[in-house]
Amino acid sequence: MNGVNELLVQIAEKEFPQEPEDYTGEDGLLYCGKCHTRKQRRFEIAGREMVVHILCKCGQEERDREAAEYRRREEMEHIRRMKGSSIHDRQLLECTFETDDGTLPQISSAKKYVETWEERLRNNDGLLLWGDIGTGKTFYAACIANALIERGVSVLMTNFAKILNKLSGIYSDDKNEFVASLMRYSLLVIDDFGIERNTEYALEQVFNVIDERYKTKKPLIVTTNLSIFTLKHPEDTAHKRIYDRVLSMCVPVSFIGENHREKESEIKIRSCSELFEEGEECIREI
């Protein structure tokens, strides 16, 4: 008897747990007392008839559930790792469609962007989210980023301050490789565009990143406090060639309205005013 057959015999002779409600059928095999399907089967090994344990119907269903739960946990862990490496501001991980409070009217278009992602990717449809500070641009962009990552899409959400810091710390030969690595993401999200340094070096690097994205024909989402007028009427040639690239790649979406951060501050002031004898006015004067 070869080694494989010996192993099969050992498995066949191994005793398996039996539940109190299990019973022996007319064929002499063990049956599950719950689903009434066989928990044993006969087959021949090296000329010997053996009886081996098999999963009954409900046992198989339980194993399938456990396997599905394991895959779900593995997927959630994979998504967590992806978000950790793809969204550079940890606070933005909490910006999801589920946490939306309904005060941002543009959020429905963000959901549609995600729902039609394959078409957006195919058509290289980017977005330019412009408007005043605190109007929800970053939240909108982060909702899209988080939702797409959960779908397994490669996304990077960062800003040019971080990109420029990275570029300044590597040798010139590696700069091109770093910029190329940004292009491997299916979606690149640049937050707070326009607040980075305006040095000649910085503007050149910003243009390189935007221009490479333009050449790869992959979607780009940009959030900025700059107005459309400023973007269309730049102060010099260096800014013009950057803004022209952005406007050619991205559909402008305006965010004009109340400052949500100021509103949150007002709510916090009211909720904490009772802690101070002087009341709200004392807090406001700080």
Side-chain angles (χ1 to χ4, degrees), residues 11 15 31 50 52 59 62 73 79 84 88 121 129 141 147 153 158 185 213 216 225 233 250 257 272:
I11 293 173
E15 292 187 5
Y31 281 73
M50 308 295 297
V52 297
E62 176 62 24
R73 290 196 301 267
I79 290 171
H88 290 175
L121 177 62
L129 315 178
V153 177
T158 186
Y185 293 90
R213 196 67 187 177
T216 59
N225 300 328
H233 302 86
C250 304
C272 292

Side-chain angles (χ1 to χ4, degrees), residues 17-24 30-34 37 39 53 56:
Q18 181 176 343
E19 300 299 329
E21 63 268 26
D22 293 347
Y23 61 93
T24 301
L30 187 66
Y31 281 73
C32 174
K34 295 179 181 179
T37 59
K39 299 182 79 171
H53 177 81
C56 62

Side-chain angles (χ1 to χ4, degrees), residues 31-264:
Y31 281 73
C32 174
K34 295 179 181 179
C35 65
H36 306 291
T37 59
R38 287 189 300 177
K39 299 182 79 171
Q40 290 178 331
R41 64 168 294 186
R42 291 187 179 91
F43 72 98
E44 189 175 294
I45 302 177
R48 295 172 54 187
E49 185 181 79
M50 308 295 297
V51 176
V52 297
H53 177 81
I54 61 173
L55 287 174
C56 62
K57 181 180 179 181
C58 64
Q60 184 62 54
E61 290 173 348
E62 176 62 24
R63 177 170 290 186
D64 291 343
R65 282 193 294 269
E66 291 175 355
E69 176 61 21
Y70 176 80
R71 289 193 298 270
R72 187 192 68 81
R73 290 196 301 267
E74 285 287 294
E75 183 178 357
M76 293 301 294
E77 176 61 20
H78 175 66
I79 290 171
R80 186 192 67 78
R81 291 195 300 268
M82 282 184 63
K83 286 186 176 181
S85 62
S86 300
I87 299 181
H88 290 175
D89 187 338
R90 300 282 78 83
Q91 292 182 336
L92 299 182
L93 296 175
E94 301 176 3
C95 298
T96 65
F97 294 130
E98 291 72 25
T99 60
D100 173 42
D101 60 7
T103 60
L104 194 62
Q106 298 94 333
I107 205 68
S108 60
S109 62
K111 293 178 180 178
K112 290 179 181 178
Y113 189 91
V114 172
E115 292 167 358
T116 60
W117 167 247
E118 288 74 16
E119 183 178 354
R120 306 284 75 80
L121 177 62
R122 185 167 55 251
N123 296 337
N124 183 23
D125 294 332
L127 298 173
L128 170 63
L129 315 178
W130 66 278
D132 295 331
I133 295 173
T135 50
K137 303 181 298 297
T138 297
F139 179 82
Y140 180 107
C143 281
I144 291 176
N146 281 306
L148 287 176
I149 290 172
E150 290 179 1
R151 291 188 173 200
V153 177
S154 59
V155 179
L156 175 64
M157 184 169 185
T158 186
N159 57 54
F160 272 121
K162 290 183 173 66
I163 291 175
L164 291 171
N165 284 339
K166 180 70 175 180
L167 286 171
S168 65
I170 58 180
Y171 293 107
S172 57
D173 292 342
D174 297 326
K175 292 184 189 297
N176 290 337
E177 176 56 31
F178 173 72
V179 172
S181 72
L182 302 179
M183 304 307 127
R184 298 189 186 111
Y185 293 90
S186 296
L187 176 65
L188 178 61
V189 182
I190 301 295
D191 193 32
D192 280 338
F193 173 66
I195 66 169
E196 57 277 348
R197 300 187 299 271
N198 273 334
T199 64
E200 181 178 347
Y201 171 81
L203 291 175
E204 185 63 28
Q205 299 309 314
V206 169
F207 175 77
N208 286 340
V209 172
I210 296 295
D211 187 52
E212 281 301 309
R213 196 67 187 177
Y214 176 81
K215 292 175 182 176
T216 59
K217 297 183 179 180
K218 290 183 179 179
L220 170 71
I221 293 180
V222 173
T223 78
T224 183
N225 300 328
L226 301 174
S227 68
I228 285 293
F229 180 86
T230 299
L231 292 169
K232 289 185 175 180
H233 302 86
E235 58 190 41
D236 53 43
T237 302
H239 285 87
K240 178 177 173 54
R241 65 177 188 156
I242 295 172
Y243 297 167
D244 282 352
R245 277 285 189 267
V246 172
L247 290 170
S248 69
M249 298 167 64
C250 304
V251 175
V253 181
S254 64
F255 285 74
I256 300 174
E258 64 179 334
N259 188 318
H260 294 285
R261 296 192 192 118
E262 288 183 355
K263 185 177 180 180
E264 290 175 359

